[in-house]
């Protein structure tokens, strides 16, 4: 019986070339942290929907065990809350950039288009931020940029301070009504130009805000 060959020795091949046999190192999984977990959760939400997000789906996305996820998030509710907060913060970043250099009715139009663009790009995350917040304190802190941008536009239209909140809520409700229906596919069979329809919605919301400022 021939002795067992050492797999790590250097031996000479028949061709005369020297050949070293080594064993390839096993590929290691990237180390998990909360940022990676939340990014994967957003991928699941974007693909499957906010309501479909579960710890089991997330573990499969990361190719890890469910138990490993609890090192980074407390539970499913905590995970969904963090997804809401991150989505709200992302919308705020978009809105803050879009609002620069605008005010009044012009600013309201710009913010209206930015809201629609965000919802169309991230429909499932938009759905997440229009649900009752799981962690209201963190959610509204993340919403500060969006709320302030809207308040600035309404305030610059001449509205008194005490009317900012209800008017801002009314403007958002009108825009959200169209946007949520659009991203849900409600207008799928409509042949008319939806951009023109949305402009009508914006004009109605902006006109209401200006009228509130001048005749409130």
């Amino acid at each position: 019986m021939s002795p067992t060959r050492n797999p790590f020795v250097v031996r000479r091949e028949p061709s005369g070339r020297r050949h070293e046999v080594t064993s390839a190192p096993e590929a290691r999984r990237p180390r998990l942290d909360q940022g990676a977990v939340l990014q994967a959760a957003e991928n699941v939400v974007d693909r499957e929907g906010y309501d479909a997000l579960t710890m089991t789906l997330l573990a499969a996305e990361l190719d890890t065990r469910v138990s490993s996820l609890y090192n980074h998030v407390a539970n499913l509710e905590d995970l969904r809350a963090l997804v809401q907060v991150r989505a709200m913060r992302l919308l705020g970043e978009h809105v803050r950039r879009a609002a620069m250099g605008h005010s009044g009715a012009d600013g309201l139009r710009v913010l209206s288009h930015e809201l629609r663009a965000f919802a169309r790009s991230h429909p499932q995350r938009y759905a997440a931020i229009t649900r009752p917040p799981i962690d209201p304190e963190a959610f509204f802190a993340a919403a500060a940029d969006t709320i302030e941008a809207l308040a600035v536009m309404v305030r610059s239209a001449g509205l008194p301070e005490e009317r900012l909140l209800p008017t801002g809520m009314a403007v958002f409700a009108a825009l959200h009504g169209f946007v949520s229906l659009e991203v849900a596919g409600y207008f799928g069979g409509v042949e008319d130009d939806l951009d023109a329809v949305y402009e009508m919605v914006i004009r109605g919301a902006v006109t209401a805000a200006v009228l509130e400022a001048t005749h409130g």
Side-chain angles (χ1 to χ4, degrees):
M1 185 179 212
S2 62
T4 303
R5 183 184 295 275
N6 187 333
F8 297 98
V9 299
V10 177
R11 66 182 186 274
R12 187 175 297 278
E13 298 294 327
S15 63
R17 292 178 302 175
R18 292 169 65 83
H19 177 68
E20 185 174 356
V21 179
T22 60
S23 65
E26 183 179 350
R28 293 183 178 180
R29 295 173 183 167
R31 187 179 181 86
L32 280 184
D33 57 24
Q34 190 182 71
V37 169
L38 293 178
Q39 179 63 61
E42 289 170 342
N43 292 342
V44 172
V45 168
D46 289 343
R47 188 174 63 247
E48 307 290 343
Y50 179 66
D51 290 332
L53 178 62
T54 64
M55 301 299 272
T56 301
L57 267 181
L58 181 57
E61 182 79 8
L62 289 163
D63 190 24
T64 191
R65 296 185 299 272
V66 170
S67 59
S68 299
L69 300 177
Y70 293 110
N71 294 320
H72 310 288
V73 292
N75 49 45
L76 180 59
E77 283 294 283
D78 181 50
L79 176 65
R80 288 183 172 178
L82 289 169
V83 169
Q84 280 187 319
V85 168
R86 280 165 61 97
M88 190 70 249
R89 189 176 295 121
L90 181 61
L91 174 60
E93 292 170 2
H94 284 243
V95 164
R96 184 177 66 249
R97 287 194 298 267
M100 291 180 180
H102 300 277
S103 62
D106 172 57
L108 285 171
R109 286 190 174 88
V110 169
L111 294 189
S112 300
H113 285 294
E114 193 60 37
L115 177 71
R116 186 189 184 200
F118 179 86
R120 294 173 76 175
S121 298
H122 308 286
Q124 298 301 335
R125 281 187 251 180
Y126 179 77
I129 65 176
T130 56
R131 302 289 183 84
I134 296 169
D135 183 349
E137 183 176 354
F139 182 82
F140 287 113
D145 282 340
T146 302
I147 294 171
E148 180 57 23
L150 182 56
V152 165
M153 301 311 166
V154 175
R155 187 185 292 116
S156 61
L159 204 69
E161 199 71 25
E162 65 272 13
R163 299 302 302 162
L164 291 181
L165 180 59
T167 303
M169 291 175 63
V171 169
F172 174 73
L175 301 175
H176 171 65
F178 176 94
V179 168
S180 61
L181 289 172
E182 181 180 33
V183 298
Y186 183 83
F187 300 128
V190 177
E191 296 180 0
D192 292 336
D193 184 355
L194 289 182
D195 292 342
V197 175
Y198 191 55
E199 283 293 339
M200 292 174 64
V201 175
I202 294 173
R203 283 198 299 272
V206 170
T207 300
V210 173
L211 287 175
E212 178 74 9
T214 55
H215 300 293

